Amino acid sequence: MPRQTNPNDDTATDQALADHLDMDIGQAEMDTDELQTLINDLDGDVSPLVSSVLETLVATIDDLHERVTELEADLEQTHEVATTAVGDAATNDQRLDDLEAQQETTRDVAKSAIAKAQQLEADADQQEDAEQLPEGIEPSSSPLDFFANCRQSKVKAMFVERSNRQNTYRAISIAKRWPEFATTRTDGSGVFMTKSDIQTALTAELGKEPHRQTIKRVWETLVDIGGDDVVEKTRQVGRDQTQTEILAMDMATAEGLLEKRYIGLDLLENSDHKAATGGVTPVVVESSP
């Protein structure tokens, strides 16, 4: 007949062994050196099997203590590395923003001043350009409208490869992508883009999230080269909504950016000098009556 075990008997046995070894059975942790000393003091008072089990127990406890110590050290080191990495990343990102802002501000202030001066000083030669356009080709209404209708490979060569004005090229490219990123007014009279739209369009252009300064520069460039075609204003939907800055174009202007009417006319062939000095190619404008 199988022997029936009683949990109380096991408890009594454990307590008896603890009393024999002079141990507190309820203690949470014991120094393994103390355990080893107790085992040595038994000196044959327990069977070899019990002695072997106790020796193994002491060795296992030692190994566990060492492993816990190693894990704690690894955890602390990992925390320090992660903290340092986060701090370095934030610092580097801020430095990159600052450097980009300083570089673009220094360069664009000078070039923008030249561009505006050249744009305002439209002379008789510019008027003649409109007269020389082929029959049926409409003159441009702004630098944005002019460059948007030229061959884009040449526009890119002018602003990116020759004069290092990437944001001007980006602004022209984004303006032409208004069907993807702009909002069309409900009455169809025009379109507009918010800074969030500019950010989304830049992400598509660059293949990555743009820096805040890049968004700001492209926005300012669109205002600068858009002339009367691009209007900077605020929009508010309902009294409870905050005002949002937008860049707006009427529909005729927006559709005009997509006409490609100057492709093949080589209007940018002799404009290297102006692009290199920061100016824009003179806009083809209507002749005054």
Side-chain angles (χ1 to χ4, degrees):
M1 180 177 181
R3 178 177 176 269
Q4 298 294 326
T5 59
N6 188 334
N8 294 329
D9 293 340
D10 293 336
T11 303
T13 301
D14 293 342
Q15 186 62 53
L17 178 59
D19 291 341
H20 184 76
L21 297 176
D22 194 24
M23 294 171 55
D24 181 4
I25 197 171
Q27 68 187 53
E29 184 178 79
M30 174 173 281
D31 192 328
T32 53
D33 290 338
E34 294 178 9
L35 283 173
Q36 188 62 54
T37 300
L38 288 172
I39 293 170
N40 294 337
D41 289 344
L42 292 175
D43 192 24
D45 290 343
V46 296
S47 67
L49 178 59
V50 174
S51 179
S52 175
V53 170
L54 292 175
E55 290 282 358
T56 302
L57 176 61
V58 171
T60 301
I61 293 174
D62 269 333
D63 291 340
L64 290 174
H65 283 174
E66 291 180 5
R67 183 56 180 157
V68 168
T69 301
E70 291 173 0
L71 289 174
E72 289 176 344
D74 289 344
L75 179 61
E76 183 176 355
Q77 183 178 8
T78 300
H79 178 72
E80 291 177 355
V81 170
T83 301
T84 302
V86 170
D88 290 345
T91 301
N92 290 337
D93 185 62
Q94 183 60 48
R95 287 177 179 173
L96 183 61
D97 284 349
D98 293 343
L99 287 174
E100 182 178 0
Q102 292 172 6
Q103 182 185 28
E104 293 212 19
T105 298
T106 301
R107 183 176 65 245
D108 288 352
V109 164
K111 292 183 177 180
S112 178
I114 297 173
K116 289 179 180 179
Q118 291 178 335
Q119 183 61 35
L120 292 174
E121 293 174 359
D123 54 22
D125 291 337
Q126 292 171 272
Q127 303 300 323
E128 292 174 0
D129 289 338
E131 295 174 1
Q132 294 172 3
L133 286 174
E135 185 177 356
I137 301 297
E138 291 293 326
S140 63
S141 55
S142 68
L144 174 61
D145 182 53
F146 176 78
F147 290 116
N149 280 282
C150 292
R151 190 176 300 279
Q152 289 308 287
S153 60
K154 293 184 177 181
V155 174
K156 184 174 184 180
M158 170 183 290
F159 289 113
V160 178
E161 299 170 11
R162 299 174 191 169
S163 61
N164 196 29
R165 298 182 67 195
Q166 289 89 342
N167 283 337
T168 300
Y169 177 72
R170 291 165 183 165
I172 296 167
S173 298
I174 287 172
K176 292 180 63 176
R177 297 183 70 171
W178 64 262
E180 299 174 69
F181 303 107
T183 299
T184 301
R185 295 190 182 279
T186 53
D187 60 1
S189 62
V191 300
F192 63 87
M193 299 179 76
T194 66
K195 286 186 177 178
S196 178
D197 295 330
I198 298 294
Q199 179 178 355
T200 303
L202 275 171
T203 301
E205 281 285 318
L206 303 176
K208 62 180 180 180
E209 283 289 329
H211 290 290
R212 293 186 300 275
Q213 285 296 328
T214 301
I215 299 171
K216 180 175 181 290
R217 296 302 179 193
V218 168
W219 179 280
E220 292 172 347
T221 301
L222 279 171
V223 173
D224 189 33
I225 67 176
D228 293 337
D229 288 345
V230 177
V231 180
E232 186 177 26
K233 57 174 65 175
T234 58
R235 178 174 183 265
Q236 185 174 14
V237 182
R239 295 181 179 179
D240 296 334
Q241 298 292 329
T242 57
Q243 291 187 341
T244 302
E245 291 181 295
I246 62 171
L247 296 180
M249 295 185 292
D250 61 48
M251 187 55 73
T253 297
E255 291 176 344
L257 300 180
L258 309 178
E259 291 177 351
K260 302 180 180 180
R261 60 185 182 273
Y262 302 144
I263 289 180
L265 299 183
D266 293 330
L267 298 178
L268 299 180
E269 287 300 310
N270 299 316
S271 58
D272 291 4
H273 174 68
K274 291 182 181 297
T277 58
V280 297
T281 296
V283 181
V284 180
V285 295
E286 293 275 12
S287 299
S288 299

